Amino acid sequence: MQKFDFLVIESDAARAEAVLSALHFLGYRPQLAAECRSVDESTHAWQAVYVGKVESEAAAERQLALLGDAANHVPMLVAADAPLAERCARMASPSATRMAVLEFPLRYEQVAEALRSVQTRLLGGQSTALRFVGHSAPMVQVNALIRQVAPFDSTVLVLGESGTGKEMVARAIHEQSSRRDKPFVAINCGAIPAELLESELFGHEKGAFTGAISARKGRFELAEGGTLFLDEIGDMSLPMQVKLLRVLQERVYERVGGSKTQRCDVRIIAATHRDLEQAIGEGKFREDLYYRLSVFPLELPALRERLEDLPVLIEEFNQRLARRGLDVARFSAGAMHTLREHAWPGNVRELANLVERMAILCPHGEVRASELPTKYRHGPVGEEVHGAALLALMEDVHASAAAMSGVHAVDEAQRLLPEDGIDLKDHLADIEVGLIRQALDATGGVVAHAARLLRMQRTTLVEKLRKYGLQANGLAA
């Protein structure tokens, strides 16, 4: 029987539901402290605890007592906007090494990264544990630059297309720096309306504006002593750019509606997918802010620029799926070749999504090129077959033949090339004709059914019948 392994302390019902859903998604078996009546080794094996909004310190203390001896070593996730959360968590553990801050609205990857960050620190491997996967020259350089800049407090500007892992760079720099035991706080400047961004960054006092029913800390205050990651800085409005520049220059700020000047000790890492130099020319970004931010620019390569990393990236994503208790996706040689033909506009994030999708669709077998989603079927899967991918694709073609005929097909791709060579186009055409005939025989000559068996559109199969002079159900092709 699975044991409850994650204690959730949260008095807000909506928040509790969000946290429980995220933890279930990540493969944990969480239990709400308010619903936990008894704890013993047969039903519970605590791995971590989340502390959010609590009714009182006394109530939190009672709920934290459910951890027992585990309170001395489990990671603590603390809600950033819950005033008593950190204080209550410190009742169980005074060590900042075991704590990570969670921002709302909650994201699955944020929870996973927070847990991984704390576990890495507890294992003492914070200086080397987090690096980018890949052996290509661009990634070797990126990892080297991260190691070089991490020990210093220099402001870093991470550049790169969406989905290349800019936030992961910021976390890697933070965790390899002397600030690793302090908070890492991220904010997406493009996702927050301009009129609310000032309050999000600097906080506000009670009554500062309609709806400000209590004072609230901003991200600068929450990140004190640690690192503040300003994602999509290129989307920040010009008035906010002026206020941010002042903080970077003078290291002071005031809450919205307040007059007290507060000093800050925060390392700034900013990121954007935009061309800031072009934005400066268009009057959309301040030049002085740009030079304040780009003390150490670090540009991430797009996935299409490091396709040699595809196998190790897929292996990394499969390992993450396995840790969540999911099946993994195994890609055939033909599928790998056609993936290398894809432009990857969504970069590594798009690849991660594809791997998870194929792990769900093909949990027990190898993913062939023909089984990939339509937009990934390039070159070898189309009407004509080109280049070096042909030899690898033959593996997929014969696997399909074996599946339909019920016998083990000879692996032509492994044969020695004849001394006088071979007309590869004609050879593959013969294979294609053979598969079409088998599909027609298996479906009684019904074109629509044969097309489904071959995983192609009916109109495409009709064109192939005409091309090869084949017939089906009286259709003279």
Side-chain angles (χ1 to χ4, degrees), residues 25 314-331 352-367:
F25 180 83
I314 290 172
E315 176 60 25
E316 169 68 17
F317 296 138
N318 274 331
Q319 289 180 13
R320 296 182 187 181
L321 292 175
R323 286 196 293 269
R324 289 165 47 192
L326 301 177
D327 289 306
V328 299
R330 296 183 298 277
F331 294 86
N353 291 342
L354 175 67
V355 172
E356 183 168 349
R357 177 178 178 182
M358 300 317 298
I360 294 170
L361 292 175
C362 307
H364 304 301
E366 193 173 57
V367 180

Side-chain angles (χ1 to χ4, degrees), residues 275-336:
D275 185 336
L276 292 186
E277 292 185 354
Q278 179 181 338
I280 291 170
E282 296 171 353
K284 297 178 180 178
F285 201 84
R286 292 183 62 94
E287 187 173 16
D288 47 4
L289 178 58
Y290 170 73
Y291 287 114
R292 276 283 175 182
L293 293 172
S294 60
V295 175
F296 192 94
L298 198 160
E299 188 159 1
L300 292 183
L303 181 54
R304 62 181 173 276
E305 297 170 355
R306 57 183 190 108
L307 291 174
E308 63 198 88
D309 288 333
L310 274 177
V312 290
L313 285 168
I314 290 172
E315 176 60 25
E316 169 68 17
F317 296 138
N318 274 331
Q319 289 180 13
R320 296 182 187 181
L321 292 175
R323 286 196 293 269
R324 289 165 47 192
L326 301 177
D327 289 306
V328 299
R330 296 183 298 277
F331 294 86
S332 70
M336 289 299 297

Side-chain angles (χ1 to χ4, degrees), residues 187 192 196-203 216-220:
I187 182 172
I192 300 173
L196 298 179
L197 185 56
E198 182 178 4
S199 171
E200 287 292 326
L201 286 175
F202 307 129
R216 185 172 184 267
K217 293 181 179 180
R219 305 302 171 94
F220 271 93

Side-chain angles (χ1 to χ4, degrees), residues 26 32 51 57 61 71 74 92 96 102 114 122 157 182 185 190 201 244 248 279 294 312 320 363 395 419 423 429 475:
L26 294 173
L32 199 60
V51 184
E57 289 188 23
E61 188 174 6
V74 298
L102 288 184
L122 289 175
L157 178 61
K182 299 297 182 181
V185 177
L201 286 175
L244 177 61
L248 296 181
S294 60
V312 290
R320 296 182 187 181
E395 172 191 327
E419 290 183 1
D423 189 324
L475 171 65

Side-chain angles (χ1 to χ4, degrees), residues 217-229:
K217 293 181 179 180
R219 305 302 171 94
F220 271 93
E221 204 167 344
L222 292 171
E224 181 64 23
T227 301
L228 178 61
F229 175 55

Side-chain angles (χ1 to χ4, degrees), residues 196-274:
L196 298 179
L197 185 56
E198 182 178 4
S199 171
E200 287 292 326
L201 286 175
F202 307 129
H204 61 254
E205 299 291 353
K206 181 178 180 180
F209 50 82
T210 303
I213 58 176
S214 62
R216 185 172 184 267
K217 293 181 179 180
R219 305 302 171 94
F220 271 93
E221 204 167 344
L222 292 171
E224 181 64 23
T227 301
L228 178 61
F229 175 55
L230 302 173
D231 198 8
E232 298 304 345
I233 192 74
D235 295 336
M236 183 179 284
S237 67
L238 286 170
M240 257 322 295
Q241 291 178 33
V242 176
K243 295 175 181 178
L244 177 61
L245 179 63
R246 181 203 172 207
V247 180
L248 296 181
Q249 288 176 333
E250 303 176 17
R251 296 290 171 175
V252 296
Y253 64 94
E254 293 86 30
R255 287 182 177 179
V256 176
S259 57
K260 180 182 177 182
T261 298
Q262 302 193 58
R263 300 200 64 84
C264 66
D265 174 21
V266 173
R267 181 180 192 169
I268 299 294
I269 301 178
T272 183
H273 70 282
R274 300 190 182 280

Side-chain angles (χ1 to χ4, degrees), residues 385-461:
V385 187
H386 302 283
L390 290 168
L391 290 174
L393 180 64
M394 290 174 69
E395 172 191 327
D396 287 359
V397 174
H398 286 286
S400 298
M404 285 185 285
S405 64
V407 298
H408 180 69
V410 178
D411 191 353
E412 295 285 344
Q414 300 300 319
R415 288 182 180 176
L416 293 176
L417 184 69
E419 290 183 1
D420 58 346
I422 188 174
D423 189 324
L424 190 56
K425 184 176 180 181
D426 288 345
H427 182 65
L428 289 174
D430 290 342
I431 294 173
E432 189 173 45
V433 169
L435 292 174
I436 290 174
R437 282 175 172 161
Q438 289 182 56
L440 291 172
D441 289 342
T443 58
V446 180
V447 176
H449 294 171
R452 279 198 295 272
L453 197 58
L454 293 167
R455 295 184 177 87
M456 63 172 62
Q457 296 293 324
R458 180 185 180 281
T459 52
T460 302
L461 180 55

